Amino acid sequence: MSEIENVVIIGSGPAGWTAAIYAARADLKPLVFVGVPKSTPSIVLPGGQLMLTTEVENYPGFPEGITGPDMMANFQKQAERFGTRTRGEDIVSCDFSEKPFKLETSKGETVLANAVIIATGAMANWIGLDNEMRLARSGGGVSACAVCDGALPAFRDQPLAVVGGGDSALEEASYLTKFASKVYVIHRRDAFRASKAMQKRIFDAPNAEVLWNKTVIDVLGEDVITGVLLKDTVTGEESTLDLRGLFVAIGHTPTTEFLEGSGIAFDDAKYINLDSRSSKTNIEGVFAAGDVADSVYRQAISAAGMGCQAAIDAEHYLSALST
Ligand code: NAP
């Protein structure tokens, strides 16, 4: 059993590293569990979802843009500069029933902590095709975030497609109509689950077209996407569609499975519930930041902001403990 840590941060995306920077500068000597890569297509990577983003153009302070992996490497460097320690393991279960909290690592070790910040993010769901994942990883025009990537020069005045029929898919499609020559919405059924208002935006957009009852069964192109192979879910007929960008918007899955049974309160979709206007969970001394507790904004900058809040909340909590 280890010594008691002041604060353990679980996760190494923008929320986790920002929490580490603040906690380290407050002299809390945080320990970050960076995580280990998992099997594709689920892709939980050390560094989080930004490891799948080629160019980040909307994070303030980088007027020329920066790649997602470079940005995460910089975040880590900045956190380590102030004394953050890291471990390349996962936390596989948590016992928050008594203090200090007990965290079990993927190597079977138990780590004790006075405060915990959960910043494990949410994974975009992918269709699960080999070529989809290959081109998503290489920045070849497949993405799970139109707001992050849609405005890149490669997508301007090009035919693009969004997969999905929920609010995210239609919001992303609507966003893309501003840049693309044409936006196809590829949906596996003949009705959207998105709100009527969101549907109207797509039906009214002159450069948007809905392809009903279609699934993507392959993504075409070597270095960059050139199109997709579609299958009609009613007739079984196959067809190709020329594209220069594919945005997969079929939901997200928060990384909270390891918290099952820990007493942490979730919403119906398994995102962590937070006290309004703070990073506090229902368990005193356990805080959450970033996409794991945010199904709405899901941006690097909003996650970083939440990481900052969590570190400050943890610092206040720890200083109250020691007085
Ligand atoms: P969602 O509502 O769960 O929709 C996911 C969509 O992806 C569904 O249309 C589903 O098809 C489709 N899908 C799932 N798996 C698929 C697969 N393997 N292949 C092809 N299609 C697949 O997810 P979301 O759109 O991300 O929204 C999540 C929540 O956030 C919702 O509650 C939503 O209302 C909310 N949200 C709100 C706003 C807003 O109000 N501005 C914006 C974004 C999100 P089926 O319909 O056939 O199941």
Side-chain angles (χ1 to χ4, degrees):
M1 195 103 39
S2 56
E3 281 179 27
I4 302 174
E5 298 286 341
N6 281 325
V7 54
V8 167
I9 297 166
I10 314 172
S12 57
W17 288 129
T18 305
I21 291 166
Y22 274 77
R25 292 191 78 246
D27 218 15
L28 293 175
K29 300 185 175 47
L31 173 63
V32 176
F33 277 85
V34 173
V36 283
K38 313 295 188 303
S39 60
T40 54
S42 305
I43 304 188
V44 176
L45 288 173
Q49 295 289 294
L50 275 184
M51 302 307 279
L52 272 184
T53 306
T54 35
E55 209 50 34
V56 182
E57 288 190 325
N58 54 6
Y59 198 98
F62 297 91
E64 308 304 328
I66 182 168
T67 70
D70 282 353
M71 175 178 254
M72 286 304 92
N74 284 347
F75 271 47
Q76 176 165 0
K77 223 156 105 186
Q78 193 171 348
E80 287 174 345
R81 181 179 150 210
F82 298 108
T84 297
R85 294 158 302 134
T86 62
R87 280 176 62 166
E89 289 154 71
D90 282 326
I91 294 297
V92 295
S93 69
C94 300
D95 179 356
F96 297 136
S97 62
E98 53 182 14
K99 292 168 184 170
F101 303 127
K102 289 194 190 75
L103 311 174
E104 193 196 337
T105 77
S106 43
K107 288 189 177 158
E109 196 186 317
T110 300
V111 172
L112 303 176
N114 286 324
V116 175
I117 296 175
I118 302 164
T120 42
M123 287 177 296
N125 296 337
W126 295 91
I127 303 165
L129 304 167
D130 289 345
N131 286 327
E132 171 200 27
M133 299 319 302
R134 180 176 58 79
L135 290 169
R137 264 192 238 104
S138 67
V142 177
S143 161
C145 181
V147 176
C148 318
D149 300 331
L152 293 173
F155 297 124
R156 301 241 163 192
D157 301 316
Q158 300 292 335
L160 309 176
V162 176
V163 182
D167 281 315
S168 297
L170 299 202
E171 194 166 82
E172 301 220 336
S174 169
Y175 178 76
L176 292 173
T177 58
K178 296 180 199 141
F179 312 106
S181 57
K182 175 100 185 187
V183 178
Y184 298 95
V185 178
I186 301 169
H187 186 37
R188 63 185 178 182
R189 293 190 292 126
D190 63 356
F192 286 134
R193 67 172 62 233
S195 63
K196 291 281 181 253
M198 210 67 92
Q199 295 191 33
K200 187 170 181 318
R201 274 207 240 164
I202 289 304
F203 295 145
D204 289 351
N207 60 342
E209 181 181 339
V210 181
L211 303 178
W212 301 108
N213 300 316
K214 299 279 187 292
T215 52
V216 175
I217 56 171
D218 202 0
V219 180
L220 312 172
E222 279 307 312
D223 297 331
V224 290
I225 181 173
T226 56
V228 289
L229 186 60
L230 298 175
K231 185 171 185 174
D232 191 294
T233 54
V234 178
T235 64
E237 197 180 312
E238 294 184 9
S239 57
T240 54
L241 176 69
D242 289 343
L243 293 174
R244 294 296 173 272
L246 180 71
F247 294 85
V248 179
I250 59 174
H252 286 75
T253 306
T255 311
T256 49
E257 221 175 80
F258 72 102
L259 295 166
E260 291 294 339
S262 69
I264 287 279
F266 304 115
D267 68 12
D268 291 345
K270 298 284 180 194
Y271 287 85
I272 295 175
N273 279 338
L274 294 183
D275 179 42
S276 62
R277 298 181 61 81
S278 90
S279 67
K280 294 176 188 167
T281 68
N282 60 313
I283 296 173
E284 204 186 27
V286 181
F287 308 87
D291 292 10
V292 74
D294 170 23
S295 60
V296 179
Y297 300 105
R298 298 196 284 243
Q299 300 299 299
I301 185 70
S302 50
M306 291 173 80
C308 158
Q309 290 176 322
I312 292 173
D313 288 341
E315 186 191 355
H316 289 166
Y317 169 76
L318 290 168
S319 52
L321 268 190
S322 60
T323 52

